[in-house]
Amino acid sequence: SYPVRLLLITLTLLMLTGASLLVAPAPPALASTGFKTPAGSLVQIDAGAPSATVIGTLTVTEPEGPGFLTAFPCTSARPNASNLNFVAGQTIATGAVVRTDANGQFCVFSSTTAHVIWDQTAETGLPAHPASRIVDTRNTGFLPANSALRIPTGAPSATVFGTLTTTGPAGPGFLTAYPCSSPIPVASNLNYSAGQTIATGTTVRTDANGDICVFSNASTHVIWDQVSENTLPSHPAFRVVDTRTSAVLVAGQTLRVRAGVPLATILGTVTAVDPRDNGYLTVYSCSQPRPNASNLNYATGQTIATGTSVAADANGDICIYTHATTHVIWDQIAETEIGSHNATRLLDTRTLSAPRHPRTGAVFPAAVSRWTGTVMTVLAE
């Protein structure tokens, strides 16, 4: 309401001026001043593509407690959904698809004080919207082990983008998303350990009824948050590479993968299995230098997967670099012409300084900084 907005603006201006009657300049967005994103606040990311759908990797590092990140258009209300779940101190990444506003920006909400990183790989004209929670089995009961959950997406014979989440699994296992009219593929979208809550960006083809199926080999809760229904060609995932059948990828090594379609944008799931140390994977076009970005972060002995997009080179190849010795799996879902590029790091709050008072130069306490996103939204309206 107007009185509430007026109160927020007044309180913020008083804080910025040290409780004087002087009107200080409006505080800049967090992305332009930077620092570890305070719990309960927003960080604005300039994607450089107004009213577009952007694809990239969203990473959290050094969180001060358990929590989640949610990416959404800054002009929309924050949805009841999450893109990434984490525990204290964890570094973890996920593929994300999000719509930008008319200024080419989108927002990321952090429930916990943490550093946030965004590596962008594509700017497209695909339709997208704030995440819509289609299924949450916490409202209906666990998905039994070795069974599949049918999810109505509302988009027959289409490709859908969304976030697939598992929570409270009874044991270690995996989720596989696929068209209900097809057999379960030899692939996985998400790997989990007992009791873990973990999410990943997922691309999947719907059947003629508009349904997708999610198979779990352990009893668990499943959540599906959908962000796009589009006409991109896609298919059930097929396994292109699994180094467990050949040789482990050693630290610092790059694996060349034959994606099969020259100069196309390739969508798939990359998985690290039993790494020997903490590290990361970077997926990129073999014809380009390896970017300063990562698609997947892993811990020693962990099996973890995420959805990603990457541009194939003129030979139809993509490259996967590993920081530590690990087995690598690549499951491919789509070969498209939407246009993509090697990851560009547009935000890394670790490289930015804390926001300061415009007159005194003092660093704002978190109790003030956490309101920046809210106040900027109110002022914009």
Side-chain angles (χ1 to χ4, degrees), residues 248-265:
V248 69
L249 199 63
V250 300
Q253 186 178 353
T254 298
L255 175 69
R256 182 179 287 265
V257 178
R258 179 54 55 89
V261 182
L263 304 178
T265 294

Side-chain angles (χ1 to χ4, degrees), residues 172-270:
F174 62 88
L175 297 183
T176 299
Y178 60 99
C180 293
S181 56
S182 300
I184 302 172
V186 180
S188 62
N189 297 84
L190 182 64
N191 297 81
Y192 51 78
S193 56
Q196 185 179 28
T197 296
I198 187 170
T200 188
T202 301
T203 301
V204 61
R205 188 74 180 172
T206 68
D207 64 17
N209 296 315
D211 294 345
I212 62 173
C213 281
V214 176
F215 172 87
S216 178
N217 71 329
S219 176
T220 187
H221 282 304
V222 174
I223 301 168
W224 172 250
D225 298 318
Q226 193 165 300
V227 297
S228 175
E229 306 81 30
N230 58 73
T231 58
L232 284 182
S234 62
H235 46 73
F238 65 87
R239 184 148 290 177
V240 179
V241 165
D242 184 344
T243 65
R244 293 175 299 180
T245 64
S246 53
V248 69
L249 199 63
V250 300
Q253 186 178 353
T254 298
L255 175 69
R256 182 179 287 265
V257 178
R258 179 54 55 89
V261 182
L263 304 178
T265 294
I266 310 300
L267 302 176
T269 301
V270 64

Side-chain angles (χ1 to χ4, degrees), residues 106-198:
F106 68 93
C107 283
V108 176
F109 171 86
S110 180
S111 67
T112 302
T113 300
H115 280 302
V116 176
I117 301 169
W118 173 252
D119 298 317
Q120 193 162 300
T121 57
E123 305 81 31
T124 81
L126 294 172
H129 50 76
S132 174
R133 181 149 291 178
I134 306 296
V135 164
D136 184 344
T137 65
R138 292 175 297 181
N139 301 320
T140 55
F142 279 95
L143 177 65
N146 297 313
S147 64
L149 175 69
R150 181 179 289 266
I151 300 175
T153 71
S157 302
T159 294
V160 293
F161 297 149
T163 301
L164 186 63
T165 305
T166 183
T167 186
F174 62 88
L175 297 183
T176 299
Y178 60 99
C180 293
S181 56
S182 300
I184 302 172
V186 180
S188 62
N189 297 84
L190 182 64
N191 297 81
Y192 51 78
S193 56
Q196 185 179 28
T197 296
I198 187 170

